[in-house]
Amino acid sequence: MRDDLRALEGYHSVQVAADVRLNTNESPFPPPAGWREELATALHDVAWHRYPDRQATALRAAIAAWHGVPGERVFAANGSNEVLQSLLLAYAGLGRRVLTFEPSYQMHAQIARVTGAAVVAGERRADFTLDPADAVALVGEARPAITFLCSPNNPTGIVEPPETVNALLDAVPGLLVIDEAYAQFAGWSALDLVADDRPLVVVRTFSKTWSMAAARLGYCVAPAWAVEALELVALPYHLDAATQIAGRLALDHVDAMDARVGQIVAGRERIAAGLAAVDVDVVPSGANFVLFRPRRAGGRAVWQALVDRGVLVRDCSSWPRLDDCLRVTVGTPEENERFLAALGEALAEVTS
Ligand code: PMP
């Protein structure tokens, strides 16, 4: 094994048995029944003895049409994590630097290191927002091949304002990659800024909004020259026929997806209101999860007291810069109420 890999911890989410699982930012709603039936029918007709379409032409064309962009600006892969890995393989790697602003999605730094790059970790303010002037100054010092933003940011939920994106776009010497895994739950997206003469890549996933985490499908909208570079590093036939079909058929259900997003945003507001009424600090979220910090109790103790009541949230309390923080994913209306009730009890139990 490579010596530099020994220092890496890997990425894992603690899974314990729980009735209410609100720890991995999945959708609480299954995909539309119609989509399941159409997929089952379509799978009957797959020529399984043949390799799939290497270019995923129909899927990429469907995604491009949905976003109103040319097909050559879309690259699709096995989850947005594979898109991130492909970007890092094509643009970063040995001898190059990658810039992140912490705390953020851990896989940006993790995949950057695994693919050989050095990571420069920029800092956010104590309220988890990013000072655009600090960010631009750091870009000037670090000269990164890839600068990552995550908007809404995981695990904070904060949406990056357009001013920060524009300031960074003017400053970066390489690519600006914005991970928009949760963008459909937010009011603003950088998608419209993507153009062939801008070094901007916007990464999206079918795992959250589309209720398709099991299918492993992500994509990016990027300048055509960046898509060509991604095709160069992608393994032959990396995206299997079933995933291509699943994604293409999902795009016939945009209305059902929008309805789910509306329900989840309403659930998020319900959770935010419930959290505002108890003894915790809450970070404003544009995502399908909310980060909060108990004011007078340890985060780990509250997490355990929630588990004792059958509710599993993400324990971020020992992560760097996130002391005592917990992250709850928006669930069904019933799950959200169970979480809020359990949290009230948990805080009463562990508050000293
Ligand atoms: N980006 C962010 C910010 C995420 O939170 C996640 C899921 N945890 C991903 C990317 C990866 O999603 P997937 O590979 O399922 O598309």
Side-chain angles (χ1 to χ4, degrees):
M1 187 168 161
R2 273 161 44 187
D3 288 339
D4 60 330
L5 290 187
R6 289 183 205 284
L8 298 181
E9 273 184 18
Y11 179 82
H12 41 82
S13 178
V14 175
Q15 298 293 342
V16 298
D19 283 355
V20 179
R21 311 181 66 83
L22 303 175
N23 64 328
T24 46
N25 296 346
E26 295 147 320
S27 174
F29 307 115
W35 173 83
R36 296 172 78 111
E37 282 155 25
E38 289 156 22
L39 180 60
T41 306
L43 290 180
H44 276 294
D45 298 332
V46 169
W48 290 106
H49 57 305
R50 302 288 183 197
Y51 283 113
D53 174 7
R54 187 169 173 163
Q55 298 292 326
T57 319
L59 170 66
R60 286 162 68 172
I63 294 171
W66 179 48
H67 287 310
V69 300
E72 62 268 22
R73 284 211 200 128
V74 175
F75 173 78
N78 292 279
S80 53
N81 280 332
E82 196 194 16
V83 178
L84 298 169
Q85 185 184 57
S86 304
L87 284 161
L88 285 156
L89 284 170
Y91 285 94
L94 210 60
R96 294 190 171 197
R97 280 178 301 279
V98 168
L99 178 59
T100 63
F101 297 101
E102 303 297 335
S104 193
Y105 181 48
Q106 293 171 11
M107 290 305 291
H108 297 156
Q110 168 88 7
I111 308 172
R113 290 193 178 101
V114 167
T115 52
V119 176
V120 177
E123 297 292 329
R124 293 169 179 273
R125 300 177 179 118
D127 67 358
F128 303 125
T129 59
L130 184 57
D131 181 336
D134 284 356
V136 166
L138 193 53
V139 162
E141 281 167 35
R143 310 298 298 160
I146 292 184
T147 301
F148 277 110
L149 285 179
C150 186
S151 180
N153 192 19
N154 182 9
T156 65
I158 290 179
V159 181
E160 217 57 77
E163 304 81 64
T164 309
V165 171
N166 285 320
L168 279 171
L169 261 182
D170 287 342
V172 289
L175 282 186
L176 176 63
V177 174
I178 309 190
D179 186 335
E180 289 199 348
Y182 304 97
Q184 279 126 302
F185 305 110
W188 184 77
S189 159
L191 252 177
D192 291 343
L193 295 177
V194 176
D196 284 343
D197 57 358
R198 271 198 206 109
L200 173 67
V201 177
V202 172
V203 181
R204 292 278 185 102
T205 178
F206 278 70
S207 296
K208 320 289 177 183
T209 339
W210 289 94
S211 302
M212 280 172 54
R216 311 307 303 129
L217 178 59
Y219 63 97
C220 65
V221 179
W225 44 264
V227 171
E228 277 174 30
L230 295 171
E231 283 169 349
L232 214 60
V233 297
L235 294 175
Y237 313 110
H238 66 132
L239 202 56
D240 69 83
T243 306
Q244 293 186 32
I245 292 171
R248 190 167 49 72
L249 292 175
L251 290 159
D252 293 335
H253 295 271
V254 172
D255 289 348
M257 186 272 279
D258 286 343
R260 283 166 168 68
V261 172
Q263 281 175 285
I264 290 167
V265 169
R268 180 184 76 209
E269 298 316 313
R270 166 70 187 122
I271 287 179
L275 290 173
V278 295
D279 203 10
V280 301
D281 290 320
V282 186
V283 181
S285 172
N288 66 340
F289 54 83
V290 183
L291 190 77
F292 63 98
R293 178 187 274 143
R295 292 195 194 110
R296 291 185 301 128
R300 176 75 195 180
V302 174
W303 179 83
Q304 185 60 57
L306 285 169
V307 170
D308 294 344
R309 288 164 177 79
V311 177
L312 181 62
V313 300
R314 192 67 177 266
D315 179 12
C316 313
S317 63
S318 61
W319 297 5
R321 306 168 187 84
L322 291 165
D323 289 350
D324 288 322
C325 287
L326 302 177
R327 189 195 68 192
V328 59
T329 303
V330 178
T332 62
E334 299 72 37
E335 288 172 329
N336 299 337
E337 295 311 320
R338 279 213 38 200
F339 159 70
L340 289 170
L343 180 66
E345 290 176 20
L347 288 172
E349 181 184 291
V350 302
T351 299
S352 46

